[in-house]
Amino acid sequence: MKRIWFAVAFIVISFAACIFEQVYIDKVFDNITVKLDSAQEYAENKDTKNMKKEIEELTSYWEKSHVVLCSISEHNDIDELSTTIKSLNTKNGDEIKNALDETKARIDIYYENQKLSLANIL
């Protein structure tokens, strides 16, 4: 009987961990997307001051989220995203628009790879 309870407890813990992972990734994706969209809008309007502020907030948020994401996701994907996000601080002019587009594409790919779907399970 103890084995059954251990198995049930393990299954419950596994489901809870999966739910936490999906909720956390959704939250991070939504926050990063909002900040990227704002930065892109500021870049289009040539509002460098607010764009830099959004990029700094994005970088700060990424640094906080990075630790948890490393524990629940493959490191290669996280490292690529981290490099791309950190490089935003070094870009200027038209380079920043391309870098923001690249970051947005990478975060979209990461989200698609991490979200719960039948294709990702199989």
Side-chain angles (χ1 to χ4, degrees):
M1 193 66 173
K2 281 185 175 181
R3 290 181 189 179
I4 292 174
W5 284 112
F6 178 74
V8 169
F10 182 74
I11 290 171
V12 168
I13 290 170
S14 296
F15 276 121
C18 289
I19 291 169
F20 167 77
E21 175 192 21
Q22 290 301 302
V23 169
Y24 189 79
I25 288 174
D26 284 344
K27 182 183 124 197
V28 169
F29 174 78
D30 290 342
N31 289 335
I32 289 176
T33 301
V34 166
K35 292 183 185 313
L36 279 172
D37 289 343
S38 295
Q40 285 177 319
E41 186 176 319
Y42 289 133
E44 290 295 323
N45 296 332
K46 301 195 186 302
D47 187 352
T48 307
K49 181 181 177 184
N50 285 326
M51 180 192 65
K52 292 288 186 185
K53 180 182 171 199
E54 284 294 329
I55 290 172
E56 287 174 13
E57 288 177 10
L58 170 65
T59 304
S60 174
Y61 182 76
W62 176 256
E63 290 298 323
K64 293 174 188 171
S65 304
H66 182 263
V67 175
V68 176
L69 289 173
C70 280
S71 66
I72 60 176
S73 297
E74 188 175 331
H75 287 268
N76 290 340
D77 297 336
I78 299 298
D79 291 342
E80 286 177 10
L81 268 171
S82 190
T83 302
T84 306
I85 290 172
K86 289 179 182 178
S87 73
L88 290 174
N89 291 323
T90 64
K91 307 289 184 190
N92 291 316
D94 287 335
E95 288 181 327
I96 194 71
K97 292 177 187 177
N98 294 334
L100 287 167
D101 289 339
E102 180 184 352
T103 305
K104 177 85 166 146
R106 285 186 189 270
I107 195 70
D108 287 342
I109 290 168
Y110 171 75
Y111 180 70
E112 287 297 320
N113 288 338
Q114 296 300 316
K115 75 177 185 179
L116 188 61
S117 68
L118 186 58
N120 286 343
I121 293 172
L122 298 177

